[in-house]
Amino acid sequence: MQSIRISGKSAGSRKLTYFARIAIIAIMTASGPVLARADEYRLGVMDKLRVRVAEWQTAEGAVRDWSAVSGEYTVGASGNVSLPFVGDLPVSGRTTAEVAEEIGIKMQKLFGLRDRPSASVEMAQYRPVYLYGEVETPGEYPYAPNLTVLKAVSLGGGLRRAENGQRFARDYINASGDSAVHVSERSRLLIRRARLQAEIAKRDKITLPEELKDFPGVDKLLASEEALMESRDKRQQRQLAALADLKSLLQGEIESLAKKSETQARQLELVMEDRDKVDSLAEKGLALSQRKLALEQRVADVQSSLLDIDTASLKAKQDMSKATQDETNLRNDWDAQLAQELQNTEAELDTLTLKLGTSRDLMTEALAQSAEAAQLQEQSASITYSIIREKDGKPTEIAGDENTPVLPGDVIKVTAAPAMR
């Protein structure tokens, strides 16, 4: 466990260094990774979690890093994860947010901490999915977000075909699967590009691209990108608000030091007048040298205090300038990041368009070379899909099609029935 000291000065000191202020603001505004609709996903056996725990110690003004607890953990067959100090923690059927909250509560109770540790739990790796039935390569495959039945079957090499002269039909199936994956990915990139264009133009809403007006599932894609845009905007606004608070604090300190400087200047003027009067009396032999010496010392003290105030004021003004520069850099970096992301998205779209064209060319060639491939649409009607999914601790079989979403731990069952003639 490591403690990161925020300020080495006493709690009563009114002077905070610029970097200490920035650290405090970072702690106050920091948030964990943003997960879209994370509350809908329930953990299960074989999920891998990434746990990070830190504690803000109010009394010490420091952040303690609980590195002994942080790390990656796999949900065991019992539905538990075992953490140092915390012990076995039931997580199956719960969300990452619920698990994070319980870790913080248990550690606070276990160690009798005044401040509850802040735990962050995020997915390191989802539990796998399984392909069964009429696929080229049945078995276990890693899960990826937005996985559908068709994408999963593509991972397994497509539908199983006979080897007697069916190579072109198999090529058609593989190319068709690749084409569907490319179309889905292209739609996601088009929505992302629309979101980036909206962010650059400072718009509140995303304009749906014309080519996606009738695309199935576009509403979910649009809602996901709008949620991401809103989250990114809130994060930037929090950072800007934190810098604005810092600038306000520094401005108040500068004004306070200016008033103090005026007071000290008036005191210096009065003391110097007294000194001049004593000098005049001393020349006439009417004043003691001891009083003259005391006034000289007083003048020196006031001048020294005035110099300290001027130095502190200069430091505060430098910090104000740095905060203003940080605010400008934040806005510029944000604009540059959006431009770079848009450029990368355009490049990915170009690459994907080429891949999609290649897949369609392969499909055309396969159809031209194989009479059986030309009848594929009729034969494909004999293929049925179902998903075996655990609900309330019991496996349940759900009818599906190529576009049915797949969840971690699902078993995709592909069945071939005789074609209807």
Side-chain angles (χ1 to χ4, degrees):
M1 293 177 289
Q2 300 177 346
S3 292
I4 306 172
R5 181 66 57 185
I6 297 300
S7 176
K9 298 184 180 181
S10 64
S13 173
R14 296 182 59 188
K15 297 180 181 179
L16 290 174
T17 65
Y18 172 75
F19 297 103
R21 295 189 186 99
I22 289 296
I24 292 173
I25 291 168
I27 292 171
M28 293 174 63
T29 61
S31 61
V34 178
L35 300 178
R37 305 177 69 87
D39 57 334
E40 293 186 358
Y41 181 68
R42 302 287 169 172
L43 300 173
V45 177
M46 295 182 67
D47 277 334
K48 291 185 178 180
L49 307 177
R50 184 176 296 109
V51 178
R52 290 174 293 183
V53 182
E55 174 198 354
W56 168 248
Q57 298 173 310
T58 304
E60 290 80 3
V63 174
R64 174 184 293 175
D65 181 13
W66 289 84
S67 57
V69 182
S70 301
E72 290 192 1
Y73 301 91
T74 302
V75 181
S78 62
N80 299 341
V81 292
S82 181
L83 277 68
F85 304 118
V86 177
D88 287 342
L89 187 67
V91 300
S92 183
R94 307 174 70 181
T95 65
T96 53
E98 292 171 347
V99 175
E101 183 178 4
E102 183 166 353
I103 291 174
I105 293 173
K106 283 185 175 291
M107 291 189 64
Q108 184 180 24
K109 291 181 179 180
L110 178 64
F111 293 101
L113 302 174
R114 175 182 177 183
D115 300 295
R116 180 183 299 176
S118 175
S120 169
V121 179
E122 57 186 10
M123 296 300 303
Q125 181 178 320
Y126 292 95
R127 56 189 185 273
V129 296
Y130 304 87
L131 293 178
Y132 169 80
E134 298 300 317
V135 291
E136 280 294 329
T137 312
E140 174 185 310
Y141 291 90
Y143 175 81
N146 300 322
L147 189 67
T148 63
V149 168
L150 181 60
K151 293 178 183 179
V153 171
S154 299
L155 292 175
L159 299 176
R160 181 180 295 160
R161 303 292 295 174
E163 294 298 329
N164 299 326
Q166 306 302 327
R167 180 173 62 86
F168 293 111
R170 184 170 60 248
D171 290 345
Y172 177 89
I173 295 171
N174 292 336
S176 177
D178 291 342
S179 178
V181 172
H182 294 332
V183 168
S184 177
E185 180 67 14
R186 181 173 178 271
S187 301
R188 187 180 65 82
L189 288 173
L190 286 172
I191 289 287
R192 184 201 295 174
R193 182 177 67 179
R195 187 254 300 167
L196 290 169
Q197 290 172 341
E199 288 183 302
I200 291 174
K202 310 298 183 184
R203 295 196 303 265
D204 296 333
K205 294 293 183 181
I206 299 175
T207 303
L208 185 65
E210 288 294 331
E211 52 265 61
L212 297 180
K213 293 290 186 181
D214 300 322
F215 186 80
V218 69
D219 291 341
K220 292 183 178 179
L221 289 175
L222 185 61
S224 176
E225 288 296 328
E226 285 182 341
L228 177 59
M229 183 173 72
E230 182 180 357
S231 173
R232 283 155 60 99
D233 181 67
K234 287 182 178 179
R235 182 179 62 183
Q236 186 195 31
Q237 294 305 319
R238 284 197 300 266
Q239 292 174 333
L240 290 173
L243 286 171
D245 290 342
L246 176 58
K247 290 171 64 177
S248 178
L249 176 64
L250 289 169
Q251 184 61 38
E253 184 175 343
I254 291 171
E255 293 174 358
S256 177
L257 289 170
K259 293 179 181 179
K260 192 172 182 180
S261 178
E262 291 177 4
T263 302
Q264 290 286 34
R266 287 196 298 270
Q267 290 183 3
L268 179 61
E269 184 179 351
L270 293 174
V271 172
M272 292 182 69
E273 288 178 0
D274 288 345
R275 185 190 62 178
D276 293 341
K277 291 178 181 178
V278 170
D279 286 343
S280 177
L281 293 174
E283 291 176 358
K284 299 176 182 179
L286 300 177
L288 297 176
S289 60
Q290 184 177 2
R291 184 182 178 189
K292 179 180 178 181
L293 181 61
L295 285 171
E296 290 288 353
Q297 183 63 43
R298 176 60 178 160
V299 169
D301 290 342
V302 175
Q303 288 176 335
S304 176
S305 178
L306 190 59
L307 181 60
D308 290 342
I309 293 173
D310 290 341
T311 302
S313 178
L314 178 60
K315 180 64 171 59
K317 289 177 181 178
Q318 289 175 339
D319 289 347
M320 170 71 83
S321 177
K322 183 65 169 58
T324 302
Q325 183 62 44
D326 286 345
E327 182 179 14
T328 302
N329 290 342
L330 178 62
R331 296 181 186 276
N332 292 340
D333 291 346
W334 178 252
D335 292 339
Q337 179 185 344
L338 289 176
Q340 183 62 53
E341 289 183 10
L342 181 59
Q343 183 179 1
N344 293 341
T345 301
E346 295 284 5
E348 291 181 41
L349 274 171
D350 291 341
T351 301
L352 205 57
T353 300
L354 292 175
K355 290 182 179 179
L356 185 59
T358 301
S359 297
R360 288 172 175 170
D361 290 343
L362 290 174
M363 291 168 61
T364 302
E365 181 181 358
L367 282 173
Q369 296 292 335
S370 172
E372 181 178 346
Q375 302 171 359
L376 184 66
Q377 290 185 346
E378 178 183 351
Q379 295 178 359
S380 65
S382 64
I383 299 295
T384 59
Y385 303 96
S386 61
I387 295 176
I388 301 175
R389 181 175 298 162
E390 186 173 319
K391 288 187 175 181
D392 300 326
K394 297 180 180 180
T396 303
E397 188 165 351
I398 306 169
D401 55 32
E402 293 180 342
N403 296 318
T404 300
V406 177
L407 299 180
D410 282 353
V411 178
I412 298 94
K413 185 178 178 181
V414 184
T415 306
M420 299 299 294
R421 296 293 181 181

